[in-house]
Protein backbone atom coordinates (compact mmCIF):
# COMPACT_ATOMS: atom_id res chain seq x y z
CA UNK A 1 0.00 0.00 0.00
CA UNK A 2 1.28 3.37 -0.90
CA UNK A 3 0.44 6.29 1.29
CA UNK A 4 -0.75 9.40 -0.41
CA UNK A 5 -0.43 12.73 1.22
CA UNK A 6 -3.00 15.37 0.64
CA UNK A 7 -1.38 18.72 0.14
CA UNK A 8 -2.53 21.40 2.51
CA UNK A 9 -4.36 24.32 1.04
CA UNK A 10 -2.81 27.73 1.16
CA UNK A 11 -4.67 30.52 2.93
CA UNK A 12 -5.43 32.04 -0.49
CA UNK A 13 -6.99 28.77 -1.66
CA UNK A 14 -9.03 28.51 1.53
CA UNK A 15 -10.36 32.07 1.06
CA UNK A 16 -11.09 31.42 -2.62
CA UNK A 17 -13.05 28.25 -1.79
CA UNK A 18 -14.94 29.94 1.05
CA UNK A 19 -15.92 32.83 -1.24
CA UNK A 20 -17.01 30.42 -3.96
CA UNK A 21 -19.14 28.45 -1.48
CA UNK A 22 -20.73 31.60 -0.04
CA UNK A 23 -21.49 32.93 -3.54
CA UNK A 24 -23.17 29.62 -4.37
CA UNK A 25 -25.23 29.97 -1.18
CA UNK A 26 -26.24 33.50 -2.22
CA UNK A 27 -27.28 32.38 -5.70
CA UNK A 28 -29.32 29.48 -4.27
CA UNK A 29 -31.03 31.88 -1.87
CA UNK A 30 -31.70 34.33 -4.71
CA UNK A 31 -33.50 31.63 -6.71
CA UNK A 32 -35.46 30.25 -3.73
CA UNK A 33 -38.98 31.08 -2.56
CA UNK A 34 -37.35 33.20 0.14
CA UNK A 35 -36.89 35.76 -2.65
CA UNK A 36 -38.86 34.59 -5.69
CA UNK A 37 -42.37 34.76 -4.36
CA UNK A 38 -45.28 37.13 -3.95
CA UNK A 39 -48.90 36.59 -3.01
CA UNK A 40 -52.16 36.96 -4.89
CA UNK A 41 -55.12 36.51 -2.53
CA UNK A 42 -52.74 34.79 -0.07
CA UNK A 43 -51.63 32.25 -2.71
CA UNK A 44 -47.82 32.11 -3.15
CA UNK A 45 -46.89 32.84 -6.78
CA UNK A 46 -43.78 33.53 -8.83
CA UNK A 47 -43.62 34.72 -12.43
CA UNK A 48 -40.23 34.53 -14.09
CA UNK A 49 -38.98 37.34 -16.31
CA UNK A 50 -40.12 35.69 -19.55
CA UNK A 51 -43.62 35.10 -18.16
CA UNK A 52 -43.83 38.69 -16.92
CA UNK A 53 -42.80 39.95 -20.36
CA UNK A 54 -45.40 37.75 -22.05
CA UNK A 55 -48.14 38.88 -19.68
CA UNK A 56 -47.21 42.51 -20.27
CA UNK A 57 -47.63 42.04 -24.02
CA UNK A 58 -50.93 40.24 -23.50
CA UNK A 59 -52.29 42.89 -21.14
CA UNK A 60 -51.20 45.74 -23.43
CA UNK A 61 -52.88 44.04 -26.39
CA UNK A 62 -56.07 43.49 -24.41
CA UNK A 63 -56.10 47.14 -23.31
CA UNK A 64 -55.51 48.26 -26.91
CA UNK A 65 -58.51 46.18 -28.00
CA UNK A 66 -60.72 47.86 -25.39
CA UNK A 67 -60.90 45.05 -22.87
CA UNK A 68 -61.05 45.97 -19.21
CA UNK A 69 -60.82 42.53 -17.58
CA UNK A 70 -58.30 39.72 -17.90
CA UNK A 71 -57.17 36.63 -16.06
CA UNK A 72 -53.88 35.45 -14.68
CA UNK A 73 -53.44 31.69 -14.53
CA UNK A 74 -51.03 30.07 -12.10
CA UNK A 75 -50.84 26.37 -11.20
CA UNK A 76 -54.30 25.76 -12.67
CA UNK A 77 -55.76 28.62 -10.65
CA UNK A 78 -57.45 31.57 -12.31
CA UNK A 79 -57.14 35.05 -10.86
CA UNK A 80 -59.59 37.46 -12.55
CA UNK A 81 -58.05 40.92 -12.74
CA UNK A 82 -59.01 44.38 -13.89
CA UNK A 83 -56.51 45.15 -16.67
CA UNK A 84 -55.20 48.45 -15.35
CA UNK A 85 -54.58 46.83 -11.96
CA UNK A 86 -52.97 43.84 -13.67
CA UNK A 87 -50.50 46.18 -15.38
CA UNK A 88 -49.75 47.94 -12.09
CA UNK A 89 -49.18 44.54 -10.50
CA UNK A 90 -46.69 43.59 -13.23
CA UNK A 91 -44.84 46.88 -12.77
CA UNK A 92 -44.66 46.30 -9.01
CA UNK A 93 -43.37 42.75 -9.54
CA UNK A 94 -40.73 44.02 -11.96
CA UNK A 95 -39.54 46.62 -9.45
CA UNK A 96 -39.49 43.96 -6.72
CA UNK A 97 -37.48 41.59 -8.93
CA UNK A 98 -35.05 44.38 -9.85
CA UNK A 99 -34.52 45.33 -6.20
CA UNK A 100 -33.90 41.67 -5.33
CA UNK A 101 -31.41 41.37 -8.20
CA UNK A 102 -29.57 44.50 -7.10
CA UNK A 103 -29.42 43.24 -3.51
CA UNK A 104 -28.08 39.85 -4.60
CA UNK A 105 -25.42 41.52 -6.72
CA UNK A 106 -24.44 43.69 -3.75
CA UNK A 107 -24.02 40.58 -1.58
CA UNK A 108 -21.89 38.90 -4.26
CA UNK A 109 -19.70 42.01 -4.51
CA UNK A 110 -19.42 42.23 -0.73
CA UNK A 111 -18.19 38.63 -0.54
CA UNK A 112 -15.54 39.36 -3.15
CA UNK A 113 -14.24 42.22 -1.01
CA UNK A 114 -13.97 40.25 2.24
CA UNK A 115 -10.47 39.23 3.26
CA UNK A 116 -10.82 36.90 6.25
CA UNK A 117 -12.31 33.45 6.53
CA UNK A 118 -14.40 34.43 9.57
CA UNK A 119 -15.92 37.42 7.79
CA UNK A 120 -16.87 35.21 4.83
CA UNK A 121 -18.32 32.44 6.98
CA UNK A 122 -20.29 34.89 9.16
CA UNK A 123 -21.63 37.00 6.27
CA UNK A 124 -25.45 37.20 6.33
CA UNK A 125 -26.66 37.31 2.74
CA UNK A 126 -30.35 37.18 3.68
CA UNK A 127 -30.52 40.88 4.56
CA UNK A 128 -31.64 43.83 2.46
CA UNK A 129 -34.31 42.12 0.36
CA UNK A 130 -37.60 43.97 -0.08
CA UNK A 131 -40.74 42.75 1.63
CA UNK A 132 -42.73 40.28 -0.47
CA UNK A 133 -45.60 41.78 -2.40
CA UNK A 134 -49.21 41.01 -1.57
CA UNK A 135 -52.03 41.61 -4.05
Amino acid sequence: WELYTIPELTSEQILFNAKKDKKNDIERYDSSVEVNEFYIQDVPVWLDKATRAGLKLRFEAEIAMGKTETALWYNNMQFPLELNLAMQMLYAIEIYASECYDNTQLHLANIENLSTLDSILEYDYTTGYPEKLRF
Side-chain angles (χ1 to χ4, degrees), residues 25-43:
D25 291 345
I26 293 168
E27 289 170 355
R28 268 192 302 278
Y29 186 79
D30 176 66
S31 62
S32 75
V33 294
E34 296 299 322
V35 174
N36 293 337
E37 186 176 72
F38 61 90
Y39 297 91
I40 300 177
Q41 301 168 3
D42 293 325
V43 175

Side-chain angles (χ1 to χ4, degrees), residues 4 8 17 33 39 56 60-61 83 85 107 110 115 124 127:
Y4 292 96
E8 291 197 25
N17 289 340
V33 294
Y39 297 91
K56 184 174 183 287
E60 287 172 344
L83 269 165
L85 292 177
H107 285 309
N110 288 345
S115 58
D124 183 3
T127 63

Side-chain angles (χ1 to χ4, degrees), residues 54-73:
L55 285 172
K56 184 174 183 287
L57 288 173
R58 173 188 172 172
F59 296 165
E60 287 172 344
E62 290 173 335
I63 289 169
M65 295 305 294
K67 291 184 77 177
T68 58
E69 303 289 323
T70 191
L72 173 66
W73 286 89

Side-chain angles (χ1 to χ4, degrees), residues 96-132:
Y96 172 85
S98 296
E99 289 174 353
C100 289
Y101 173 83
D102 290 345
N103 194 59
T104 295
Q105 294 306 306
L106 177 63
H107 285 309
L108 292 170
N110 288 345
I111 291 299
E112 196 56 44
N113 292 322
L114 296 177
S115 58
T116 67
L117 183 59
D118 284 344
S119 63
I120 296 166
L121 295 176
E122 294 171 5
Y123 186 85
D124 183 3
Y125 53 83
T126 65
T127 63
Y129 286 93
E131 187 173 330
K132 290 181 182 182

Side-chain angles (χ1 to χ4, degrees), residues 8-17 117:
E8 291 197 25
L9 296 177
T10 66
S11 59
E12 291 81 16
Q13 290 169 318
I14 291 170
L15 283 177
F16 176 83
N17 289 340
L117 183 59

